[in-house]
Amino acid sequence: MSLKSKDLLGMQHLTFEEINSVITSAKSFMEIATRPIKKVPVLRGKTVANLFFEPSTRTRISFELAARRLSADVINIPALISSAASGETLTDLAKTIEAMTVDFIVVRHSMAGAPHQLARQIKSSVINAGDGSHEHPTQALVDLYTTKEKKGYIEGLRVAIIGDILHSRSAKSNIWGLKTMGADVVLIGPRTLIPPGLERLGVDISFSMEEGLEGVDVIILSRVEMTEENRALLPSLREYSRFYCLTEERLASAKKDVLVMHSGSMNRGVEISPQVADGAYSVIIEQVTNGVAVNMAVLYLLAGGKK
Amino acid sequence: MAGEGRGMFAFAEQARPQPTVFFRRGRIIDPQSGFDQVADLLVEDGIIRRVGKDLKVPAKAEVIEVGEKVLCPGLIDLHVHISEPARNDRETIRSGCSSAVAGGITSIAVRSHTDLVIDNQAVVEYLIAKSQQLGLSRLLPVGALTRRLAGEELAEMGDLAKNGVVAASDDYRSVMDSSLMRRALEYAAIYNLPVLSFCQDSSLAGDGVVNEGYVSTIMGLPGVPNIAEEVMVVRDLILARMTAHPIHLGPLTTVGSVDLVRQAREMGVAVTAETSPHYFILTDIDCREFDTFMKVEPPLRSERDLAAVQEGLAEGTIGVITSSHQPLTVVDKDTEFQSAKAGICGLETLLPLSLTYLYHNGKMSLGDLLSRMTIIPAEILHLPGGRVREKCPADVIIFDPELEYIIDPQEFFSKGKNTPFGGRSVKGKVLLTMVGGRIVFRNGELVFP
């Protein structure tokens, strides 16, 4: 088992078989977390660099833990400024990293496509840990893994993705991944937060929670914030939560065994009510545990998939 | 100063030796008259002395055998940027004019940009004097419409016109204040100064960097909707009709813009329009791999828009093809897509790309295609060039329409190597460029007197 590309840049590039390999490998790595000694020598002697151009705690720690459990050496390079701001070209940056002979580079960037541009110029494997509003493939893989674990299958499930689809990289990655795996996808949110052209990917769009949640097997929420850009797109968070907050009443439209996930850090009371977040359908905390195993699987498969 | 009308400074002949040149048996195309025959052409004293069959060769003349090639008016490019002196690393007057003649372009209309704001006499005089000293392509400065391109107060258009600008434009910035734009048109009319307007509503464009739609969504980048252009096209058309002063719009990139201009022309509004090769060759999906060479302003549009632009060109709604020449450095382009500067270095690929994608593809006849880069821009700016006719300035080129080659940006005379067309095979190559009766470019090399 391995991945075709040297990099993991986005879900739009992954095939059905590749996604399945990640899910299968992650399942075997899950077991390691239950051992007293949580370490295997899969990546001994390899170096993983966390290159974070944008602050992140969850993703960075998850990758660091995954790399350490595979016995890799980890370096964290936080708070870098963008190429444009530094006066350094992306090629300069790529050559610098290359010169340090790093095997894996985990990149988080506020600008879409930066990991792709870097990956083209470097022999090391690049993992996109979130680029602007573009993609966040490992988060989508976690959501797919969690769905598969809980439901036993993905094909034919109806999945609702709710929130700021326009700016959510996880939502975009989830759309690609879910469609590749044969799920049915409905996007729910205010019209101003749903980007154009998604019909081409074969998804349904709904501006109403009650209507959109009808018969849904899985719900994936994304974080909604009052960013500078959203000021022109959304009257207020209060208004958003009045129509789109996932409450127990709204959950009633979905299937009885619905699964509730969140692909980021929660904004309680805005996109999800505390009762639902802590309720029986929620697997939000399990997603975090699964995240480490999925990241281990990604590193392992990019390394060639040999134990 | 020789002659009246626009471009009188750039077309004033310099005290340089004016050789007598005899072009023998070439396929001479004059897009204005529709002349397209194998004939001879005699150049003397910087002007076209005679055009005709089996002319007598004067004793002192240099004879050039044109053979199977095309001899036509030198191209006039209405949309060029240079950066001297603010950013000589991007493009100087010398590198820009060299690049122009290598591309068969004998006159470049240089517009303002961040690096070069043409809103005062000193800048206009500098551009004209420096380019005349070089004696490569003619440089026609386009004055600003508003002071500092700020869109707040009128530029001194009368003074600029007296000093030699050929048109007025704020170029890549639309004048957002509609009242000011109205007054600018009325004021420019006093001096019969054509107004060139780049159409983009900055509030609708926002911080967009790619075409809004499927592509902006899957790339996760802010988009520029078609309406950002079309809203401005409509406004400018209404103002042009009201003020009865000619306006030239573009580059046009959308279906809606082409439709609007077509309708306005049918209604008799004095409007002309331009587009550039990338808008009839590339589409938004070409940006998908985050190649910053594909980043242009306005952004590359959809297949549907591209088809409309081609149709608009073929039918004449879009009468002009420009290069939108925007030379940039590695630092400008080798960066994140959102941070990268927009623009393509286009002077040396204008003719080969147009020939390949419009003429060889069967969309336009050779004469029609050449008119888009010769006589039509000449008429818009009231220039004496753009014609192969007796007594006209001897600005002519020879190109081989069938010669195939691969575009290599490293061979550009321009300092800019930023082209998405590097490595692409094209058909049509400029072999010789003559400006004012002097050969300035021949067989791949500049010729200095």
Side-chain angles (χ1 to χ4, degrees), chain A residues 11-285:
Chain A
M11 294 303 288
Q12 49 188 302
H13 311 290
L14 289 191
T15 62
F16 180 86
E17 290 74 26
E18 288 177 305
I19 294 173
N20 262 334
S21 326
V22 175
I23 292 174
T24 311
S25 309
K27 196 170 169 59
S28 66
F29 284 121
M30 268 306 276
E31 181 260 332
I32 292 171
T34 62
R35 294 184 194 171
I37 295 166
K38 301 178 178 57
K39 217 163 186 164
V40 287
V42 172
L43 295 182
R44 191 158 59 196
K46 303 276 182 191
T47 311
V48 177
N50 278 329
L51 204 59
F52 277 57
F53 293 87
E54 188 184 75
S56 153
T57 311
R58 292 155 50 108
T59 307
R60 189 184 56 74
I61 290 173
S62 180
F63 267 105
E64 185 166 349
L65 218 47
R68 288 190 193 283
R69 285 186 182 167
L70 295 172
S71 308
D73 295 312
V74 182
I75 52 168
N76 287 308
I77 312 174
L80 290 165
I81 52 169
S82 70
S83 139
S86 71
E88 192 180 50
T89 65
L90 276 177
T91 306
D92 294 333
L93 176 65
K95 283 181 179 159
T96 307
I97 299 165
E98 192 97 87
M100 295 174 189
T101 61
V102 168
D103 303 286
F104 297 90
I105 302 164
V106 180
V107 184
R108 162 68 64 91
H109 205 295
S110 62
M111 290 189 202
H116 305 65
Q117 291 171 281
L118 208 55
R120 275 202 282 274
Q121 312 196 49
I122 207 163
K123 287 193 217 70
S124 325
S125 288
V126 174
I127 299 169
N128 179 3
D131 61 325
S133 305
H134 183 218
E135 283 237 35
H136 192 345
T138 55
Q139 181 61 51
L141 289 167
V142 172
D143 298 349
L144 288 168
Y145 174 82
T146 309
T147 304
K148 179 82 185 286
E149 275 303 289
K150 292 287 165 185
K151 294 283 178 190
Y153 62 99
I154 298 171
E155 194 176 348
L157 289 177
R158 186 159 175 84
V159 182
I161 304 176
I162 308 171
D164 186 352
I165 315 294
L166 177 64
H167 297 111
S168 169
R169 46 195 171 213
S170 304
K172 311 261 177 44
S173 287
N174 265 317
I175 294 168
W176 291 106
L178 287 163
K179 292 310 288 182
T180 303
M181 300 311 284
D184 228 14
V185 177
V186 56
L187 307 176
I188 309 173
R191 185 169 167 167
T192 47
L193 293 183
I194 296 189
L198 283 171
E199 322 75 68
R200 264 175 75 171
L201 298 178
V203 300
D204 297 329
I205 289 164
S206 175
F207 307 132
S208 144
M209 286 287 268
E210 287 70 19
E211 188 190 284
L213 286 177
E214 198 71 49
V216 154
D217 299 287
V218 180
I219 293 171
I220 305 175
L221 293 160
S222 72
R223 188 177 169 82
V224 178
E225 286 176 294
M226 215 55 193
T227 56
E228 201 53 53
E229 289 166 287
N230 278 354
R231 279 179 209 287
L233 303 170
L234 206 58
S236 66
L237 285 183
R238 181 178 171 277
E239 168 124 337
Y240 178 84
S241 79
R242 167 128 161 59
F243 292 96
Y244 296 100
C245 182
L246 187 65
T247 57
E248 285 179 312
E249 302 81 72
R250 288 190 173 126
L251 209 50
S253 306
K255 285 213 180 125
K256 285 204 161 27
D257 58 346
V258 68
L259 203 62
V260 175
M261 296 195 278
H262 196 296
S263 50
S265 51
M266 279 185 284
N267 216 346
R268 283 175 188 259
V270 177
E271 69 260 4
I272 187 166
S273 77
Q275 292 80 3
V276 174
D278 304 325
Y281 307 114
S282 166
V283 288
I284 294 171
I285 293 304

Side-chain angles (χ1 to χ4, degrees), chain A residues 12 83 91 117 120 134 196, chain B residues 217-218 288-289 334-336:
Chain A
Q12 49 188 302
S83 139
T91 306
Q117 291 171 281
R120 275 202 282 274
H134 183 218
Chain B
T217 298
I218 67 162
R288 190 175 177 166
E289 299 304 321
D334 186 359
T335 183
E336 300 89 5

Side-chain angles (χ1 to χ4, degrees), chain B residues 75-82 91 95-111 113 137-138 171 196 198 248-253 273-282 293 295-298 300 313 318-328 333 342-354 358 369 372-374 377 412 414 416 418-421:
Chain B
L75 310 185
I76 297 168
D77 189 342
L78 285 192
H79 200 154
V80 174
H81 299 286
I82 54 171
E91 194 83 298
S95 63
C97 290
S98 302
S99 179
V101 296
I105 299 158
T106 51
S107 292
I108 53 174
V110 170
R111 301 198 195 179
H113 208 264
S137 70
R138 301 182 198 276
D171 194 49
L196 318 177
F198 173 88
H248 175 78
L249 308 179
L252 297 191
T253 68
E274 66 178 54
T275 195
S276 295
H278 36 282
Y279 298 116
F280 59 76
I281 299 171
L282 304 172
F293 281 172
K295 185 174 175 182
V296 284
E297 196 178 4
L300 299 175
L313 273 166
I318 301 176
V320 178
I321 306 173
T322 66
S323 67
S324 291
H325 184 67
Q326 183 67 66
L328 294 166
K333 282 292 193 186
I344 287 176
C345 173
L347 288 168
E348 286 162 75
T349 52
L350 174 65
L351 182 63
L353 289 172
S354 300
L358 295 174
L369 177 63
R372 306 286 185 266
M373 295 175 272
T374 55
F412 284 176
S414 169
N418 50 306
T419 174
F421 300 110

